[in-house]
Amino acid sequence: MANLLSAPLSGDRGAAAGVPGHLTQDLTLSAKSVRHARKIVTESVCMWGRDDVAFDVGIVVAELLTNVLQHADPPQRDAVKRARLVVQVLLGLPTTGHLVVVVHDDDPTMPAERRADEGALGGRGLTLVRGLTEELAFVPADGGKDVVAVFSLNETGKAAA
């Protein structure tokens, strides 16, 4: 997954690049940029003919970016929080039929899953992400970490059961 994130994060504003089946966004995080990224990702996945998973991918992207916004510590104390988002449909071997979401941030601390109390407003995000994806991994990368979420796709464009 590291090759998906090879370029350094850039600029103060979000930047996006995309080709069919691949989207990269560098984000300065805020509640507004998280909503914007979710919308762009959902619409992109639909344009790639994957309407069946677009909503779930959008939810996962919003959750992973919100986790960075709320929990990651930037390298400099007063620095803005940034993330790189990569969404890619993998159609070639050995990963045929998968859509991969990678969120990179510069905090090497790995996410900790926790059990939320029944009345708690938070603490269920990673459980939700695990429920919507085939696989979820946390990978040390480039002075920070990559959170990798994998969605299974079948050949007809429907999510695999």
Side-chain angles (χ1 to χ4, degrees):
M1 291 303 138
N3 62 342
L4 296 175
L5 298 168
S6 58
L9 298 180
S10 63
D12 288 336
R13 303 180 72 203
V19 296
H22 183 95
L23 172 71
T24 301
Q25 287 187 296
D26 290 335
L27 301 163
T28 300
L29 291 178
S30 67
K32 184 176 181 178
S33 68
V34 170
R35 286 190 306 271
H36 184 66
R38 178 181 178 179
K39 183 176 181 179
I40 288 172
V41 167
T42 301
E43 290 176 1
S44 295
V45 173
C46 285
M47 286 190 311
W48 302 337
R50 298 298 179 170
D51 300 42
D52 52 303
V53 295
F55 182 78
D56 289 352
V57 173
I59 289 173
V60 167
V61 163
E63 183 58 40
L64 296 179
L65 292 174
T66 298
N67 283 351
V68 174
L69 183 60
Q70 292 178 349
H71 304 294
D73 288 324
Q76 294 85 26
R77 194 48 120 177
D78 295 326
V80 295
K81 292 187 180 183
R82 300 182 193 279
R84 164 161 288 151
L85 167 66
V86 177
V87 180
Q88 185 168 1
V89 174
L90 301 174
L91 299 175
L93 295 173
T95 55
T96 301
H98 290 88
L99 185 144
V100 178
V101 171
V102 182
V103 172
H104 175 83
D105 69 76
D106 292 328
D107 181 353
T109 306
M110 294 296 158
E113 294 188 56
R114 54 190 168 135
R115 185 171 222 167
D117 293 333
E118 187 175 315
L121 295 177
R124 295 177 184 82
L126 290 177
T127 301
L128 172 68
V129 169
R130 282 197 189 281
L132 293 174
T133 60
E134 177 181 320
E135 186 175 343
L136 180 65
F138 312 118
V139 182
D142 298 326
K145 67 182 163 295
D146 293 344
V147 179
V148 182
V150 179
F151 295 82
S152 234
L153 305 172
N154 71 18
E155 295 169 13
T156 63
K158 300 288 182 199

